[in-house]
Amino acid sequence: MTVAPARRGRPGHSLDSLLDTAVAVFIERGYEATSMDELAARLGVTKSAIYHHVPSKVELLRLALDRALNALFAVLDEPGALDGPAIDRLEHVVRGSVRVLTTHLPFVTLLLRVRGNSAVESEALERRREFDRIVTDLVRAAEEQGDVRPDVDPAVTSRLLFGTVNSLTEWYRPGRGLDADALADALVTTTFSGLRTTPPSGSRTTAAPVPPEVLR
């Protein structure tokens, strides 16, 4: 697919600030229900100022979804996801995915609401499926190495793991006393304890309690 060339920004709003606002409005109103007029009004600029950055609303959606997807796929290229026993690589990917979610929370939230109603959304869904296939392969490899219980289908395990990760978009709010590492510790402690056949050697410390205000 041909990618539109980057455009130089005008004073007042960068492409990043435009994307932040667009994603917030897309989540609030839905992509289809959001007009460029509304985006311009929310930003306090003219539509032509938006078009100086991007050629269309669909390009805003593509850039937003790519922000989340590229960050997730970058986790798969980290050394911790490439080297060592499959169970450790799987844990690294889960922890990295939590980090991506906390860093790019609105973008991941938007990604999870995509239903394939356009070519851009369909492409994003296919990339999500590719990510899921890679994680499923990791679960299967960990099972073959004897580190994951064999009585649950690897595809089901993968969906359960990342269903838990993705559910964080429903309740996690930054700045309420729980950082990405603590959140990842809590998630790994609760999920991997039922996944592993034996406790890991040199396991991390027990996850810190989740402050009640984080869940409000």
Side-chain angles (χ1 to χ4, degrees), residues 53-73:
H53 289 282
V54 292
S56 63
K57 185 177 76 166
V58 72
E59 179 68 3
L60 284 171
L61 179 63
R62 186 190 68 78
L63 289 171
L65 297 177
D66 280 351
R67 176 78 62 87
L69 285 162
N70 290 346
L72 286 170
F73 274 89

Side-chain angles (χ1 to χ4, degrees), residues 10-11 23 51 55 62 66 88 97 103 108-109 112 126 130 138 141 150 160 172 175 179 190 205 209:
R10 288 180 177 177
V23 168
Y51 289 130
R62 186 190 68 78
D66 280 351
D88 293 340
S97 299
T103 303
V108 177
T109 300
L112 295 178
E126 182 52 40
E130 181 184 355
L138 269 179
L160 289 172
Y172 175 73
D179 63 17
T190 55
T205 56

Side-chain angles (χ1 to χ4, degrees), residues 163-180:
T164 304
V165 173
N166 294 339
S167 72
L168 301 179
T169 62
E170 301 298 326
W171 61 265
Y172 175 73
R173 297 297 176 266
R176 293 192 179 180
L178 194 66
D179 63 17

Side-chain angles (χ1 to χ4, degrees), residues 86 138-154:
L138 269 179
V139 175
R140 185 175 291 109
E143 180 182 312
E144 291 171 353
Q145 292 171 8
D147 291 320
V148 167
R149 52 189 304 163
D151 54 340
V152 181
D153 183 90

Side-chain angles (χ1 to χ4, degrees), residues 11-25:
H13 282 287
S14 65
L15 179 57
D16 282 342
S17 66
L18 171 58
L19 270 178
D20 288 342
T21 299
V23 168
V25 179

Side-chain angles (χ1 to χ4, degrees), residues 33-124:
T34 301
S35 68
M36 292 295 270
D37 285 318
E38 183 167 4
L39 287 177
R42 186 72 66 95
L43 287 160
V45 299
T46 63
K47 282 197 295 184
S48 63
I50 297 177
Y51 289 130
H52 187 77
H53 289 282
V54 292
S56 63
K57 185 177 76 166
V58 72
E59 179 68 3
L60 284 171
L61 179 63
R62 186 190 68 78
L63 289 171
L65 297 177
D66 280 351
R67 176 78 62 87
L69 285 162
N70 290 346
L72 286 170
F73 274 89
V75 172
L76 299 178
D77 290 330
E78 294 173 354
L82 298 172
D83 301 319
I87 186 67
D88 293 340
R89 288 184 281 139
L90 177 63
E91 180 175 329
H92 180 90
V93 171
V94 170
R95 289 182 179 279
S97 299
V98 172
R99 184 181 70 245
V100 169
L101 186 145
T102 57
T103 303
H104 303 289
L105 181 59
F107 294 86
V108 177
T109 300
L110 181 64
L111 173 64
L112 295 178
R113 296 186 182 185
V114 161
R115 294 296 178 265
N117 296 328
S118 66
V120 167
E121 292 189 14
S122 294
E123 182 180 342

